[in-house]
């Protein structure tokens, strides 16, 4: 059967594929340490109690009709207040667009800015930029981020590609790496964008930056989140932010996200989304609008939530460093932010106890799942080279008491290799 070019060429999600394999093993009775999902187990990480109560209250008040296409005014005003209070960013309600999470906003932004064969610059590994670029038929301009920069793109690697580009997709804290831009590195990128836009004429498209900061409130230790507009106010006409309650309040299923930036772009995104019908539910919008003024509840929740996430990340990091000291080919980058740990498992070329050689990284991924019972997402699922030995490990469903067991299981599996 002949279908559209997009349908015929779209690559399925490696994460979804891996998730299916994991579910099959669990159904068969296997014990799997599943660190693949960028989601939360509500039994471990529930949403804020105050937000839950506001959602229940909103349904009891019968807020079950269509919301405004751009998001209800009370929610957009609450978001504007939240941005001013938390990030010292000044945006009007008309410069904020609400949707059912971040994905429709990202898709509509790509659609609003880019034409077919326009250049889109994105780093790998990164979440889904390769697929969104393919959706719109744009030209992929891929920048390979490196371990020495904590897998964050840097200015000198981006600069050769700026001429003629339409969109630069950035994310910090980064999914899948859990790492962040330094102030210096982000300033250098902003300065390049401003310089490039100053060279373009009035009839040329400008270079816009999508700044996905979905995890920005989940930073650890002395790591500080930074953003283009705070560092360089002149970036405001060229920067579109993507954010949501999904990650910072463990509310992935509540489905309330927002974009903010130049109104002329958001108005076009709104028009696109009005045909998709990607509104956040009315009751959830009402609930989030009320909750975002509750500073004490938010502060208390984030303090506890961040502490619980960080202890898991650090315990796993320390366990992997111990394995490294024992001589095994593993490593990790110290936790910085989000719910992810970047880990390295470099086993290509080794032989299993049954004499099978791990000839490529996909063999390593399968060995980890089958022998160590460890499920993690390879960076090649995020656009990196298929030979990359790096993985994303997510702690959103992690029980603290299982960390030691997982490290021991991994150690035993590594011992069996020669």
């Amino acid at each position: 059967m002949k279908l559209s070019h997009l349908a015929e060429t779209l690559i399925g999600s490696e994460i979804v594929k891996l998730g299916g394999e994991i579910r099959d093993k669990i159904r068969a009775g296997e014990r799997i340490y599943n660190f693949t999902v960028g989601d939360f187990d509500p039994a471990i990480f529930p949403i804020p109690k105050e937000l839950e109560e506001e959602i229940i209250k909103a349904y009891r008040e019968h807020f079950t009709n269509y919301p405004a296409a751009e998001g209800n005014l009370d929610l957009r005003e609450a978001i504007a207040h939240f941005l001013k209070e938390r990030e010292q960013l000044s945006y009007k309600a008309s410069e904020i667009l609400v949707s059912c999470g971040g994905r429709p906003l990202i898709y509509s932004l790509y659609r609003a800015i880019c034409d077919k064969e326009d250049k889109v610059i994105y780093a790998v590994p990164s979440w889904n930029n390769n697929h969104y670029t393919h959706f719109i038929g744009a030209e992929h301009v891929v920048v390979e981020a490196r371990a020495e920069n904590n897998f964050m793109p840097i200015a000198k690697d981006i600069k050769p590609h700026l001429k003629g580009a339409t969109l630069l997709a950035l994310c910090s804290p980064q999914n899948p790496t859990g790492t962040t831009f330094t102030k210096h590195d982000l300033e250098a990128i902003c300065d390049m964008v401003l310089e490039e836009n100053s060279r373009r004429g009035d009839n040329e498209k400008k270079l816009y930056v999508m700044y996905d900061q979905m995890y920005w409130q989940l930073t650890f230790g002395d790591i500080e989140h930074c953003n283009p507009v705070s560092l360089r106010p002149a970036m405001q006409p060229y920067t579109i932010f993507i954010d949501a309650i999904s990650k910072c309040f463990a509310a992935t299923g509540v489905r309330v996200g927002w974009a903010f930036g130049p109104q002329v772009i958001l108005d076009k995104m709104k028009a696109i989304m009005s045909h998709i019908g990607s509104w956040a539910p009315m009751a959830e919008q009402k609930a989030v609008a009320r909750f975002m003024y509750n500073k004490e509840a938010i502060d208390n929740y984030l303090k506890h939530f961040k502490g619980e996430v960080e202890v898991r990340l650090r315990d796993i990091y320390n366990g992997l460093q111990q394995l490294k000291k024992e001589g095994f080919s593993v490593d990790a980058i110290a936790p910085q932010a989000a719910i992810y740990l970047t880990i390295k498992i470099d086993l290509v070329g080794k032989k299993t106890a049954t004499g099978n050689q791990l000839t490529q990284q996909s063999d390593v991924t399968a060995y980890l799942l089958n022998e160590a019972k460890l499920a993690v997402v390879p960076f090649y699922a995020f656009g990196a080279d298929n030979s990359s030995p790096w993985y994303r490990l997510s702690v959103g469903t992690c029980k603290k008491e299982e960390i030691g067991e997982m490290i021991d299981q991994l150690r035993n599996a590594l011992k069996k290799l020669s």
Side-chain angles (χ1 to χ4, degrees), residues 84-142:
K84 184 68 174 177
E85 180 180 70
R86 300 275 165 171
E87 284 194 277
Q88 293 74 55
L89 289 170
S90 296
Y91 284 85
K92 298 177 291 186
S94 60
E95 297 171 308
I96 298 168
L97 178 63
V98 173
S99 183
C100 56
R103 296 173 198 238
L105 296 163
I106 296 172
Y107 176 74
S108 63
L109 173 59
Y110 270 77
R111 280 290 183 200
I113 290 177
C114 302
D115 289 309
K116 188 176 181 180
E117 298 180 357
D118 276 359
K119 290 169 62 176
V120 175
I121 305 171
Y122 60 89
V124 293
S126 65
W127 180 81
N128 258 26
N129 287 301
N130 53 336
H131 300 303
Y132 286 112
T133 303
H134 181 70
F135 267 133
I136 62 173
E139 178 185 344
H140 298 254
V141 181
V142 181

Side-chain angles (χ1 to χ4, degrees), residues 197-249:
N197 280 333
S198 71
R199 286 197 292 262
R200 299 191 182 186
D202 292 339
N203 295 323
E204 293 181 84
K205 275 186 182 178
K206 297 297 185 180
L207 172 60
Y208 294 98
V209 171
M210 180 185 78
Y211 201 67
D212 180 344
Q213 59 170 26
M214 196 71 65
Y215 298 89
W216 74 269
Q217 295 181 83
L218 303 180
T219 57
F220 311 122
D222 59 357
I223 299 294
E224 291 186 7
H225 174 70
C226 51
N227 71 74
V229 174
S230 293
L231 296 180
R232 295 289 187 267
M235 284 291 296
Q236 190 155 352
Y238 312 120
T239 305
I240 301 91
F241 291 84
I242 306 293
D243 205 349
I245 65 169
S246 304
K247 309 298 184 175
C248 60
F249 299 124

Side-chain angles (χ1 to χ4, degrees), residues 306-415:
K306 287 171 63 173
E308 289 295 309
V309 170
E310 183 177 8
V311 72
R312 288 164 169 78
L313 291 170
R314 295 206 180 277
D315 283 354
I316 296 172
Y317 171 78
N318 291 336
L320 291 169
Q321 292 304 301
Q322 178 59 39
L323 292 180
K324 181 181 177 181
K325 287 180 183 177
E326 294 171 16
F328 297 110
S329 297
V330 302
D331 204 351
I333 294 174
Q336 291 188 349
I339 60 174
Y340 306 122
L341 190 68
T342 290
I343 70 172
K344 184 180 184 182
I345 303 180
D346 194 4
L347 307 178
V348 168
K350 294 187 178 294
K351 285 188 177 180
T352 68
T354 57
N356 294 322
Q357 189 169 41
L358 305 177
T359 59
Q360 53 193 2
Q361 201 60 37
S362 58
D363 297 333
V364 176
T365 304
Y367 181 77
L368 293 172
L369 181 57
N370 295 322
E371 190 64 38
K373 308 304 178 186
L374 173 60
V376 286
V377 185
F379 272 14
Y380 57 75
F382 298 99
D385 189 85
N386 286 342
S387 63
S388 174
W390 293 89
Y391 290 80
R392 183 187 84 173
L393 184 153
S394 171
V395 298
T397 61
C398 172
K399 297 177 181 176
K400 285 184 284 190
E401 60 271 20
E402 292 182 347
I403 293 173
E405 299 174 12
M406 180 272 287
I407 296 294
D408 287 341
Q409 188 84 9
L410 177 58
R411 178 186 286 108
N412 292 336
L414 294 173
K415 283 180 178 179

